[in-house]
Amino acid sequence: MTPMEIVGSLGIVGYGLGAIGPGIGVGLIFAAVIQGTARQPEARGAMLSTAFIGFALTEALAIIGIALAFVFGFVGQ
């Protein structure tokens, strides 16, 4: 196994670990929306729109993470 293959593998492992954070974040966002809707059903629309903005920002971190995994994977070539 060449050093470049090892670096590429570590980049993917790093992205896998980095994807844990956004996954937990999305779960917490929608858990809060479900709980808020249960407490105050008439505010569902406002909570959902705010939740989708938070979802998009959280997923942007995961997309940046995979882009960086590819960039760092191909640095030495």
Side-chain angles (χ1 to χ4, degrees):
M1 185 174 248
T2 65
M4 191 60 215
E5 290 174 7
I6 294 172
V7 170
S9 298
L10 289 177
I12 298 303
V13 169
Y15 170 67
L17 292 174
I20 292 172
I24 292 171
V26 168
L28 290 175
I29 288 169
F30 285 105
V33 169
I34 291 169
Q35 186 177 22
T37 302
R39 289 175 182 242
Q40 193 172 7
E42 62 272 5
R44 179 179 178 260
M47 285 188 282
L48 270 179
S49 62
T50 304
F52 280 116
I53 292 170
F55 168 75
L57 291 174
T58 305
E59 283 299 314
L61 295 175
I63 293 170
I64 291 169
I66 198 166
L68 288 177
F70 280 116
V71 166
F72 291 141
F74 296 117
V75 165
Q77 293 182 354

